C-alpha cells in the first residue's frame, strides 16, 4: 500500500484523510441525488482502478432508480 500512497499514485493523500480516525481505501465513491449526498458505495478486491470501475457501475445503476 505504501507504493500506492506515493505522489502521483491512486492512493496519494490517504494518510491525511479523516484526521486519522478512519482507514480509507481506494474504490469508494459518494452517491448524490438531486445535489444531495445520500450515501456511498465501495468495492474492494481488485486494483484501485478496478474497484473504482465497479463502484462507478453501481452509482450509475442508481441513476436509473
Amino acid at each position: 500500500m505504501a507504493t500506492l500512497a506515493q505522489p502521483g499514485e491512486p492512493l496519494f493523500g490517504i494518510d491525511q484523510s479523516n484526521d486519522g480516525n478512519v482507514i480509507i481505501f481506494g474504490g469508494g465513491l459518494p452517491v448524490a441525488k438531486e445535489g444531495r449526498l445520500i450515501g456511498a458505495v465501495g468495492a474492494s478486491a481488485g486494483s484501485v482502478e478496478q474497484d473504482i470501475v465497479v463502484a462507478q457501475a453501481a452509482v450509475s445503476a442508481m441513476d436509473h432508480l
Side-chain angles (χ1 to χ4, degrees), residues 39-64:
V41 65
S44 180
S47 67
V48 172
E49 293 81 8
Q50 291 167 332
D51 291 346
I52 289 172
V53 167
V54 171
Q56 184 59 60
V59 171
S60 294
M62 294 180 74
D63 289 340
H64 302 290

Side-chain angles (χ1 to χ4, degrees), residues 30-39 59 63:
V31 177
K33 185 122 180 141
E34 298 174 3
R36 226 175 116 205
L37 181 65
I38 61 169
V59 171
D63 289 340

